[in-house]
Amino acid sequence: MSFSLIYAVIMSSLSTTKEMLQRLDAYLTSFEWENITKSKLSILQAFLKLATKNGYDAVTMRSLAKAVNLKPPSIYSHFPDGKDQIVSSALRWHYYSFAIAVKEGLSQSQTKSEYWSALIRVHITQQIKNPENDLFDMLMSTDRLGGILPYELRSEMLEWLAFCDFMYESIATDFGIEDANQKGVLIRVTLDGANSWWKWDGSEENLEQCIQYAEKIATGILKIS
């Protein structure tokens, strides 16, 4: 069998995964971050760090300005609508960065198993190394109880979560899993909670152990009948 025919057979078994990759590209192009200034980006990153460390409600315009060595009025020059606009922009930057990491992490994959392992590796690395992911999860949980988020932002965050579920669902579908949708959600939620069931010691070796453990969990979920 020629290489081109082998490659065609491999890719034909990845139809849903290829659809997911196309949707990922479309998702990334929906953002307009090309012209973001260093000052704006530093404010967004500072907000995520402060909110993760001290709590969402503890972040004020004054504390944020201090963190980036600016005067409070300067913050408003970048974000005229104040904290609400910063929160929305910071969360958009957060899941845009996550999506970029996914695209890069999957770029060298060719088989179902490679896509599966790469997706779990990216997911766990992002969850463990970037605690602001827990802030995202906390805000979503709080919003379900009290409706604290603006409608547009809530819709965008739900869209991102749905796409995260679809990433697992798409590969599981190509594996031939019948209830791929439900299991994709279960896997995503389980790995989102990595910081609650794994205590990272800061080393790459320990992170690698976590990734391998997460893949065992995720693959085990696929096999549940």
Side-chain angles (χ1 to χ4, degrees):
M1 185 181 291
S2 67
F3 174 78
S4 59
L5 184 55
I6 293 173
Y7 182 76
V9 170
I10 291 174
M11 293 309 290
S12 67
S13 66
L14 288 169
S15 57
T16 315
T17 301
K18 289 192 291 183
E19 178 189 344
M20 178 268 287
L21 295 173
Q22 292 170 352
R23 284 177 57 177
L24 176 61
D25 284 337
Y27 183 78
L28 287 169
T29 58
S30 69
F31 293 89
E32 297 180 357
W33 293 109
E34 294 84 359
N35 298 320
I36 188 171
T37 65
K38 290 184 177 180
S39 294
K40 272 191 171 183
L41 182 56
S42 67
I43 292 169
L44 299 182
Q45 292 173 330
F47 169 80
L48 290 170
K49 288 182 180 179
L50 288 173
T52 301
K53 180 180 180 181
N54 303 321
Y56 168 77
D57 292 331
V59 182
T60 64
M61 298 299 281
R62 185 176 297 277
S63 65
L64 188 55
K66 183 178 180 181
V68 294
N69 198 29
L70 291 174
K71 294 181 179 180
S74 297
I75 301 287
Y76 283 101
S77 68
H78 293 295
F79 298 97
D81 294 332
K83 185 176 177 179
D84 286 346
Q85 185 179 8
I86 293 172
V87 172
S88 297
S89 298
L91 289 172
R92 290 186 182 107
W93 175 258
H94 163 68
Y95 42 81
Y96 170 78
S97 300
F98 200 118
I100 286 289
V102 171
K103 181 177 175 62
E104 293 175 350
L106 301 185
S107 62
Q108 301 302 312
S109 300
Q110 293 186 333
T111 67
K112 292 186 289 287
S113 295
E114 288 174 349
Y115 277 112
W116 184 252
S117 297
L119 180 56
I120 293 170
R121 174 173 294 276
V122 172
H123 192 164
I124 289 296
T125 300
Q126 291 293 311
Q127 288 293 144
I128 296 294
K129 286 192 170 183
N130 301 314
E132 56 266 28
N133 284 290
D134 291 333
L135 171 67
F136 179 95
D137 297 336
M138 181 274 292
L139 286 175
M140 287 301 299
S141 297
T142 305
D143 183 69
R144 279 195 291 270
L145 294 173
I148 64 171
L149 297 172
Y151 174 80
E152 182 178 356
L153 178 59
R154 179 187 303 117
S155 297
E156 289 182 13
M157 293 172 72
L158 289 173
E159 179 185 3
W160 167 243
L161 287 179
F163 182 72
C164 289
D165 294 337
F166 177 67
M167 287 193 287
Y168 284 105
E169 177 191 350
S170 65
I171 304 173
T173 298
D174 286 334
F175 271 123
I177 304 299
E178 292 184 1
D179 52 345
N181 178 271
Q182 185 64 42
K183 288 180 176 177
V185 174
L186 181 56
I187 290 167
R188 191 268 302 167
V189 171
T190 301
L191 300 194
D192 275 352
N195 281 310
S196 65
W197 49 259
W198 189 272
K199 302 302 179 186
W200 184 41
D201 65 7
S203 70
E204 292 300 316
E205 180 182 3
N206 184 258
L207 176 61
E208 187 64 33
Q209 292 171 352
C210 181
I211 292 169
Q212 293 176 9
Y213 186 68
E215 185 164 355
K216 288 181 181 179
I217 293 173
T219 303
I221 290 172
L222 282 192
K223 295 178 180 179
I224 296 174
S225 58

